[in-house]
């Protein structure tokens, strides 16, 4: 991670502080906004594509898969400050032969009352294509994705933050209907001297969804969510219909001090079979994290209070 990323994460935390100040407090969930939260995590994320085209009247498909990068990272947050650092260690087998591959992934969310806004940025370099048992490498191929989702959480008793971070904890089982509007722009560039073609892809979709936190005990819960919707896909001016299918699963353990969780999230945009040039888009994220909360040092509280007084945050 470079200094620019730290600034971006810091600004994302600033947005998050507005959300936390507007959080609805009730007996169904507990807030830990007044604690310093430190955690370490393992992250495996990627953006895969499937290209479909017609050759001699037959439909052909090619899967474009990124050379994966598994990451370890550290995260520290307090109030509006949220800083993370991640790296791809060589002792992971999947990272050993991908020295020229690159992966930069950034996600943040902020809230205003019942509204939730997410932002995603993914930049990948190094792909391979598989077809009929034959693998073709595209070491210079690069994809850049930017976009996000806008959601409205209907149920005041449901804590969406329990699913996406550990700043809240659901204490009584609850769920909510959440409509999600998604917008993503993706640029595909082969970066090949023989074929330097670019592809621009725009996705707009609306997906009704339902999320539920099953509270197993005071310390254990299972968070689930599913979304299914439809929208349009624009591939270099060729517009067609698409379907959206999202799945979310989280198993978490929590005390006021210590927490641990495993989460799996997939976002799938599946293009209509009638599309002449078909491109399916999948974002998957697997994350394991353990962390600890503690009271902020007095000096940290003093600095925060001075900044809060001057900025009004």
């Amino acid at each position: 991670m470079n200094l620019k990323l730290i600034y971006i994460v810091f600004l994302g935390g600033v947005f998050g502080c507005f959300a936390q100040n507007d959080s609805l407090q009730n007996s169904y969930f507990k807030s830990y906004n007044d604690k310093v939260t430190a955690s370490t995590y393992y992250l495996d994320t990627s953006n895969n594509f499937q290209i479909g085209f017609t050759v001699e009247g037959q439909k052909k498909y090619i899967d474009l898969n990124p050379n994966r990068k598994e990451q370890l990272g550290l995260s520290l947050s307090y109030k509006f400050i949220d800083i993370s650092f991640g790296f791809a260690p060589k002792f992971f087998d999947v990272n050993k032969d991908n020295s020229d591959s690159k992966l930069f992934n950034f996600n943040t969310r902020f809230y205003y009352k019942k509204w939730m806004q997410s932002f995603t940025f993914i930049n990948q370099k190094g792909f391979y294509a598989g077809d009929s048992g034959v693998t073709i490498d595209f070491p210079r191929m690069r994809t850049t994705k930017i976009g996000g989702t806008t959601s409205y959480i209907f149920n005041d008793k449901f804590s969406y933050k329990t699913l996406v971070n550990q700043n809240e904890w659901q204490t009584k089982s609850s769920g909510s209907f959440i409509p999600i509007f998604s917008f993503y722009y993706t640029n595909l560039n082969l970066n090949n001297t023989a074929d330097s073609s670019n592809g621009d892809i725009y996705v707009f979709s609306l997906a009704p969804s339902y999320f539920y936190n099953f509270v197993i005990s005071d310390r254990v819960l299972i968070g689930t969510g599913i979304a299914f919707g439809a929208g349009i896909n624009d591939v270099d001016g060729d517009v067609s219909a698409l379907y959206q299918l999202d799945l979310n699963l989280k198993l978490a353990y929590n005390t006021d001090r210590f927490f641990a969780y495993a989460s799996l999230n997939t976002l799938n945009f599946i293009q209509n079979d009638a599309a002449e040039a078909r491109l399916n888009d999948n974002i998957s994220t697997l994350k394991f994290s353990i962390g600890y909360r503690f009271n902020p040092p007095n000096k940290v509280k003093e600095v925060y209070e001075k900044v809060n007084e001057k900025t009004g945050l």
Side-chain angles (χ1 to χ4, degrees):
M1 172 179 292
N2 54 31
L3 190 58
K4 185 182 294 185
L5 176 57
I6 294 177
Y7 289 152
I8 294 174
V9 175
F10 178 84
L11 291 175
V14 171
F15 286 121
C17 92
F18 289 101
Q20 292 160 353
N21 288 339
D22 280 316
S23 292
L24 298 171
Q25 300 299 323
N26 55 49
S27 62
Y28 276 77
F29 53 85
K30 182 176 183 179
S31 173
Y32 293 103
N33 189 39
D34 60 338
K35 302 291 185 182
V36 175
T37 301
S39 63
T40 181
Y41 60 85
Y42 160 87
L43 181 67
D44 184 1
T45 186
S46 65
N47 187 190
N48 298 36
F49 303 90
Q50 184 186 67
I51 298 177
F53 52 93
T54 302
V55 177
E56 297 180 351
Q58 293 185 342
K59 200 71 173 181
K60 301 287 186 180
Y61 297 95
I62 293 180
D63 294 319
L64 287 174
N65 301 294
N67 294 323
R68 304 182 75 89
K69 287 283 189 181
E70 297 180 357
Q71 302 178 11
L72 293 178
L74 299 173
S75 178
L76 184 68
S77 64
Y78 173 65
K79 297 290 186 180
F80 62 86
I81 301 173
D82 192 351
I83 301 174
S84 298
F85 174 80
F87 65 101
K90 292 295 185 182
F91 56 77
F92 286 147
D93 288 339
V94 73
N95 295 341
K96 290 180 179 179
D97 299 325
N98 295 332
S99 57
D100 294 331
S101 300
K102 297 183 184 300
L103 169 63
F104 177 88
N105 177 65
F106 173 72
N107 294 276
T108 189
R109 293 178 175 86
F110 58 94
Y111 303 80
Y112 178 73
K113 296 183 178 179
K114 292 187 176 185
W115 292 93
M116 191 278 291
Q117 179 66 47
S118 74
F119 174 80
T120 297
F121 179 83
I122 302 175
N123 186 277
Q124 300 177 125
K125 178 188 175 186
F127 281 74
Y128 64 92
D131 182 35
S132 302
V134 178
T135 300
I136 303 174
D137 291 321
F138 296 93
R140 299 179 61 187
M141 180 178 175
R142 184 185 296 273
T143 66
T144 302
K145 179 185 295 292
I146 184 170
T149 62
T150 302
S151 307
Y152 185 83
I153 303 167
F154 274 87
N155 189 358
D156 296 345
K157 299 177 181 178
F158 175 74
S159 170
Y160 191 82
K161 295 181 185 178
T162 298
L163 279 176
V164 298
N165 58 45
Q166 291 300 123
N167 291 335
E168 284 185 358
W169 180 255
Q170 190 89 48
T171 55
K172 297 180 182 179
S173 295
S174 183
S176 180
F177 171 71
I178 304 177
I180 301 173
F181 172 75
S182 301
F183 164 73
Y184 289 96
Y185 162 74
T186 305
N187 175 263
L188 281 78
N189 192 337
L190 292 178
N191 281 319
N192 190 317
T193 54
D195 184 1
S196 58
S197 60
N198 259 321
D200 293 313
I201 306 162
Y202 298 89
V203 168
F204 304 88
S205 68
L206 181 62
S209 67
Y210 189 80
F211 291 83
Y212 197 90
N213 288 328
F214 295 91
V215 177
I216 307 301
S217 68
D218 291 342
R219 298 184 177 181
V220 179
L221 66 74
I222 298 175
T224 61
I226 185 170
F228 183 76
I232 60 173
N233 189 50
D234 183 330
V235 182
D236 291 334
D238 182 9
V239 179
S240 60
L242 60 78
Y243 304 104
Q244 178 181 347
L245 176 63
D246 304 346
L247 299 173
N248 298 267
L249 181 64
K250 181 177 184 177
L251 174 62
Y253 173 86
N254 182 77
T255 68
D256 288 342
R257 293 291 186 182
F258 174 80
F259 63 86
Y261 67 86
S263 63
L264 175 64
N265 304 289
T266 65
L267 173 62
N268 304 277
F269 294 109
I270 306 167
Q271 201 164 341
N272 193 307
D273 288 336
E276 182 176 346
R278 179 177 173 181
L279 194 148
N280 295 333
D281 192 345
N282 167 266
I283 305 172
S284 61
T285 302
L286 174 65
K287 187 175 185 179
F288 298 93
S289 180
I290 58 174
Y292 186 76
R293 304 184 190 93
F294 54 91
N295 293 323
N298 290 331
K299 288 293 184 181
V300 174
K301 292 179 66 175
E302 290 175 6
V303 171
Y304 169 76
E305 289 171 358
K306 289 180 180 178
V307 173
N308 186 41
E309 182 180 350
K310 293 182 178 180
T311 62
L313 294 177

